[in-house]
Structures are given as C-alpha cells and as structure tokens.
Amino acid sequence: MTDPAAQFDQLGEVYDTFSDSPFRRHLEIPTVLGALGDVAGQTVLDLGCGSGVYTRQLRRLGAARAVGVDPMAGMIEHARSIEAAVPVGAEYLAGQVPSELDGTFDAVLAVYVLPYTADRDLLADFCRTAARALRPGGRLVTLPANPGLRRDRGYYERYGFRTYGDSAGTDPDPITLDLCYADLDETISAWVWSAAALEDALTAAGFTGIGWSGPAVTRRGVEALGEEFWQPYLDCPHAMTVQAVRH
Ligand SMILES: C[S@@+](CC[C@H](N)C(=O)[O-])C[C@H]1O[C@@H](n2cnc3c(N)ncnc32)[C@H](O)[C@@H]1O
C-alpha cells in the first residue's frame, strides 16, 4: 500500500480553507481545545499537524512550546510559510518526531491522523510515537473516525465534507472522504478503526485512562446557524474525541 499520508503532501491550502468552515470554527476546534484543557505554560506536540491549524492555536493559547510534526514535507513547508508571514512562535518539523524530544511533552494532540493509519503496524507506530513523546502522566487527545459514522454520501455535506462507501467489514474499514467546503473538491481515502482495536493499540503503547467523548457546538455556532443545522452532526458525529494518559 502507498503511504496514506502521501495524499496530504500538497493539501496545506485545502486544510487552511477547510479550517474556516463553520464546522471547524464552531464545533470541531472548540471541542478539541476543550478536551485538551488549559495549555498555558505547557509543551505540546501537534502530531500530524498538517498546515498547523492547531499548532498556531496552541501558541495563541499560551503554550510555552508548540511543535508541529508531519511526515509530509509539503504540509510543513506550508505551515512554515504561514509562521513566516504571521509569527506566533510555532515550531515545525518534517518527518518523524526526533528522539531527543522523547518524554518532553505535557500533551500530544493528533487531529484526524488515526483515520490514516491504514493497518495495524501504522496504528501501533502512531501510538508508540505519541507515548514516547510524552512525559509520564502526559495526555493524548486524538480524533479517530467514529466507528459508527454515517456512510450515506449526503449526511455530512452541509458541514463541508462527505463520507461514503460500503463497509468492507474489515478492521480498519476503508471509507472515502470528500472535502467539499466552499470551492474545495478533494477526495481522500480514510480508515475507520473499531473502538476495541484503538484501545488495544493505545494500551499496548503504554496509555491508560482511555475515554471517548462526542462533540459540542458553541453558542455562537447555534446563534449563527440554528440548532437544526448542527443536530444531525451531534446525533452521529463522523469523528470522536479520545483521551488517554501516558503511565
Ligand atoms: C487530515 S490531515 C489533518 C491535519 C491537521 N491535524 C488538522 O487537523 O488540520 C492529516 C495529517 O496527518 C498526517 N499523517 C498521516 N499519517 C500520519 C502518521 N502515521 N503520523 C503522523 N502524521 C500522519 C498527514 O501527513 C496529514 O498532514
């Protein structure tokens, strides 16, 4: 299989555009940052940072150090160009997390990365990487696909994306994702892990206290678009928040 991350090399601008969507601004980003809690003074790794949407945000929220790492050089180049234009002190590294950073992070954030661990080796590598980056007691916040997400093409379209494709009954189970917010027109292959497989991999890597939670929408989001707009997503989110602690 070609590296699933390779799909993202040239998608920096796409993810920046998508980050302006009401879905990300009023629901996803507040949900993730709420799960992460207060990062003031903390050292945070944004693993699979892409264009740095969260890395920049972490610095704005007072993280002492925010390091974005992504295997795709094109994504990191894009993130660095934004940092050069509007410096916030976010650091970016292309490739793997260097071993000299092992055990130095209070928290690891990894948003929409698990859906691209397409087999058990990639899943185990991801979990081990997150665990070795953290100090004991450090926490992981990550967003895998919801194992019960909808596969009918139009269900999430109003939020700027579509998920579709019959279940193959495998673990992970492939799915197709279109980004269709504004003028975006990108199709991406993704994978849906069962809760049991994810929890086993996290536990094997040294995580404990694994908890799952769903999204919440901000009051401004409800005022702007109405409860009816958000309800289908809240009824069946396409991604869940998973938290775990490194023991
Ligand atoms: C959907 S993008 C999300 C980017 C960013 N986290 C965000 O929320 O905007 C997924 C990113 O994860 C990276 N990625 C894929 N597999 C990875 C892995 N095993 N470890 C770390 N990053 C990975 C990709 O290169 C890509 O930039």
Side-chain angles (χ1 to χ4, degrees):
M1 178 197 313
T2 45
D3 180 0
Q7 305 179 93
F8 295 101
D9 197 35
Q10 298 306 317
L11 292 191
E13 274 188 52
V14 166
Y15 271 84
D16 279 340
T17 301
F18 186 42
S19 72
D20 285 339
S21 68
F23 168 76
R24 289 202 97 181
R25 280 190 294 120
H26 293 305
L27 186 146
E28 175 215 301
I29 294 172
T31 297
V32 170
L33 295 177
L36 195 58
D38 187 5
V39 293
Q42 299 206 336
T43 298
V44 186
L45 171 64
D46 185 6
L47 182 57
C49 64
S51 63
V53 169
Y54 281 94
T55 326
R56 293 188 284 280
Q57 192 72 12
L58 292 166
R59 281 289 292 167
R60 291 195 188 98
L61 291 169
R65 195 171 179 200
V67 182
V69 177
D70 199 284
M72 289 300 110
M75 276 293 203
I76 292 298
E77 219 174 278
H78 184 77
R80 283 185 178 145
S81 73
I82 297 173
E83 175 67 23
V86 187
V88 294
E91 301 165 55
Y92 295 105
L93 299 171
Q96 306 301 311
V97 180
S99 56
E100 57 266 29
L101 293 181
D102 282 0
T104 63
F105 291 96
D106 299 302
V108 171
L109 179 65
V111 179
Y112 301 145
V113 180
L114 281 166
Y116 307 103
T117 55
D119 61 36
R120 285 190 189 256
D121 288 345
L122 288 170
L123 174 62
D125 276 356
F126 167 87
C127 295
R128 279 195 297 264
T129 299
R132 77 174 164 78
L134 285 167
R135 62 165 172 77
R139 62 199 193 285
L140 169 69
V141 173
T142 190
L143 254 73
N146 175 4
L149 88 178
R150 299 283 294 241
R151 286 175 174 269
D152 37 341
R153 190 184 280 260
Y155 190 80
Y156 301 114
E157 192 162 338
R158 65 173 72 178
Y159 309 112
F161 59 93
R162 308 181 195 101
T163 56
Y164 54 95
D166 291 339
S167 166
T170 53
D171 198 4
D173 205 354
I175 194 159
T176 303
L177 167 75
D178 289 346
L179 295 179
C180 54
Y181 172 65
D183 59 354
L184 297 181
D185 181 16
E186 296 292 338
T187 297
I188 295 167
S189 298
W191 286 265
V192 183
W193 285 102
S194 68
L198 282 177
E199 291 181 18
D200 286 352
L202 287 168
T203 304
F207 285 100
T208 184
I210 301 166
W212 293 69
S213 51
V217 62
T218 62
R219 194 164 46 82
R220 284 187 68 184
V222 173
E223 282 165 7
L225 290 155
E227 282 181 11
E228 338 49 75
F229 177 83
W230 298 106
Q231 202 55 51
Y233 190 83
L234 297 173
D235 289 344
C236 189
H238 87 306
M240 297 292 284
T241 306
V242 171
Q243 301 194 48
V245 176
R246 163 92 157 88
H247 60 66

